[in-house]
Amino acid sequence: MPSYILGLDVGTTSIKAILLDRDSRCVAATHSIPTTSDISDSSGIKAKEQDTVQIIDTLNRCVGLLPADKLQHVCSIGLSGQMHGVLFWREKNGCNWSNGDFFTARDTSHLITWQDGRCTSGFLSSLPQPDSHLSVATGFGCATIFWYMKHRPEFLEDFTTAGTIQDYVVSMLCGLGGCVMTPQNAASWGFFNTSSNQWNTDILKGAGFPLRLLPQCVPSGGLAGKTCSDWHGIPAGTPVGAAMGDFQCSVYSCMSERTDAVLNISTSAQLTYAMPAEFKPPHSPQPASPISFFPYFDSSYLAVAASLNGGNVLATFVEMLTAWMKELGVTGAELNDSCLYEKLIGCALNQETSDLRMSPTILGERHSPLCLGQLTNISASNLSLGHVTRALCRGVLDNIISMMPAERLQQAGVSRIVGSGSALARNEVLRQEVERVFPQPVVYGQNADSAVGVAMVLCDRL
C-alpha cells in the first residue's frame, strides 16, 4: 500500500496542499485555493493584516478536497509558509477541535504579514542593534512586537504565544503548549543568531521585550510532534515536521544542482544561489546591501536578493487600470482582473521591445525603502498598453538584476537559472525578459513550489 507525505504551503495569497508518493517522489494529488483573507486598513499606519479564521477555513477546505483514500495513508505532514509575519494566540486556547476531524481558529490575533508597513525607518532606527548578520525591517516579527510594545502594550497582554502562521498550524495540529520554530523562520523575524541558533535574549530583555512570546528553536527538517487528533482522515499520531520557510522549500523543490541559481517570481521576487559549505555570514547586519544570507539546511546558507516587488507590482497595475475604467464609467465582464491580465500579456507579446523605462519599485526595497518607482524616457510613441506592460515586466527583472548582477552569478559558478513561481508561470512576457537579461541558460522547474519542497524535505530527512 503506498504511503504519502502531505505538503502544505500557507502563502500570502493562497494555500496549496499536495500529496507526495513516498516511494516514487511523484505528486499524487494537488489542490490550491485563494485565501481572500486580506483585511482593509483604515488606521493609516500602513498595516497589512489577514484574517486568521479565514486562512484556517481555507486550509481545511484545501486539505478536504484531496482524495480521502490517500489521506488515510499519509505518513507525515510538512508545512511551509510566508516568512517574517507574526500571529499571536493563547496557549492551549488557540483553536477548537469540537467540530469533528478538523480544527478552527479561536482566540488568535490577525496575522500581521511580511508586507506590513507600520514600522517606519525612524522607529526601526530606535531599536537595539541585533546580534545577527540579518537586518531588521518592517514586517519582521520582532519589529512588529516592538511596535506593539510602544504603541499598544495592552494588546500583547492578551496573548501568551507567537509564531508565523505555519508555526501556528503546526502547534494546533500537535496540540503543543507553546510554539516551536526552525532557524529559517526565526531568522526572518530578526534578533536571531543563525551561527548559534539562538535568540538575542540578552539584547531583547534589556529592551523590555516580552521574551515569553519567543518560540523554542528546533532544527530545520526536524519533527515538531505528532497530530493530536484525526484530521481530514489523517490518523492521530501522524508525525508533523517543524514548519519551514516558503522560500527555502521552494528552492529545495527545484535546485537539483549546487551550480543552479533559482529565480522565483510570485507575490514578491527572489534570486538565489547556494553558498559554499564552509561559508560563514558576516557578524553584523549590512542594511545597505541588497543581498542577504538565509539559513538553509545543515548550517548552510543561500545568497538571496529578495525583492519586495514581483507579481504584486503587476497585480497593482491591473488594479489601477480597473479602477480607472470604473472612474470612466466602463463596466461589464471585461473588468475581471484575470481577463484584463491576459489581455495585457497579449498586448506586450505583440510589442517585442520598448524604449520606455520603468523602475517598478512601488514598495521600495528593504535595503532602500525610500527608492520608489519611476517611469522615464516617455515619448508619444511608447504609451500603448503593449509598451507599458513590456516595460513593467522588464523593470521587474532589471530591479532584481540590479540587486544581484549576472556577473556575480558567473563568479559564483552558476551555470544555469531555474525559473519558478506563479507570476513567472502565468506570464510569457516575464519569461521572455528573464531569458533576455541572463547570459546563462534558463530552465523552468517542474513542481517548483513550496508545498512540494516541504514534502521532499520530509521524504529525504524523516
Side-chain angles (χ1 to χ4, degrees), residues 21 55 91 148 155 186 188 219 233 235 285 297 335 427 452:
D21 187 300
I55 293 172
E91 187 176 321
Y148 276 110
F155 171 87
S188 79
F297 295 97
L335 285 180
N427 190 328
V452 173

Side-chain angles (χ1 to χ4, degrees), residues 260-423:
D260 288 345
V262 176
L263 172 68
N264 179 76
I265 307 179
S266 296
T267 305
S268 53
Q270 303 89 21
L271 178 59
T272 186
Y273 62 89
M275 296 299 291
E278 65 274 11
F279 171 80
K280 299 298 179 186
H283 292 295
S284 59
Q286 299 175 305
S289 173
I291 295 178
S292 301
F293 299 101
F294 285 13
Y296 195 40
F297 295 97
D298 302 321
S299 300
S300 66
Y301 290 84
L302 298 171
V304 187
S307 172
L308 299 175
N309 302 276
N312 47 9
V313 173
L314 295 159
T316 299
F317 181 52
V318 171
E319 291 165 6
M320 179 191 75
L321 292 177
T322 301
W324 282 4
M325 287 190 287
K326 287 181 179 177
E327 288 180 39
L328 293 168
V330 180
T331 59
E334 294 296 310
L335 285 180
N336 178 282
D337 282 358
S338 180
C339 177
L340 187 56
Y341 191 87
E342 297 304 322
K343 287 183 179 294
L344 291 172
I345 292 173
C347 291
L349 288 173
N350 292 327
Q351 184 64 56
E352 293 184 1
T353 62
S354 178
D355 57 353
L356 187 65
R357 291 291 173 260
M358 188 181 299
S359 175
T361 53
I362 58 174
L363 300 173
E365 294 293 1
R366 291 191 178 104
H367 66 281
S368 185
L370 300 180
C371 186
L372 301 178
Q374 295 182 358
L375 190 61
T376 58
N377 208 43
I378 304 168
S379 70
S381 61
N382 61 16
L383 292 175
S384 70
L385 281 175
H387 274 282
V388 175
T389 306
R390 172 68 66 175
L392 176 57
C393 292
R394 177 62 182 258
V396 170
L397 267 300
D398 284 346
N399 180 55
I400 197 82
I401 281 292
S402 73
M403 296 170 66
M404 184 179 281
E407 296 77 23
R408 178 171 182 139
L409 296 176
Q410 290 175 314
Q411 292 168 3
V414 170
S415 59
R416 70 171 182 172
I417 308 297
V418 179
S420 69
S422 55

Side-chain angles (χ1 to χ4, degrees), residues 202-213:
D202 290 343
I203 295 171
L204 292 170
K205 184 178 181 181
F209 189 95
L211 297 181
R212 73 179 190 282
L213 295 176

Side-chain angles (χ1 to χ4, degrees), residues 241-261:
M244 289 173 271
D246 55 355
F247 176 70
Q248 287 91 339
C249 290
S250 177
V251 170
Y252 196 92
S253 74
C254 60
M255 185 185 278
S256 56
E257 304 290 340
R258 288 193 65 83
T259 53
D260 288 345

Side-chain angles (χ1 to χ4, degrees), residues 40 52 83 101 121 158-159 166 177 179 206 249-250 252 345 366 378 384 386 394 438 455 459:
S40 59
T52 308
M83 298 189 294
D101 70 342
S121 297
D158 289 337
F159 303 104
Q166 57 270 27
C179 177
C249 290
S250 177
Y252 196 92
I345 292 173
R366 291 191 178 104
I378 304 168
S384 70
R394 177 62 182 258
F438 288 105
C459 188

Side-chain angles (χ1 to χ4, degrees), residues 136-154:
V136 178
T138 187
F140 284 29
C142 283
T144 301
I145 294 172
F146 269 121
W147 186 92
Y148 276 110
M149 282 173 53
K150 179 175 180 179
H151 296 284
R152 289 181 58 193
E154 73 284 352

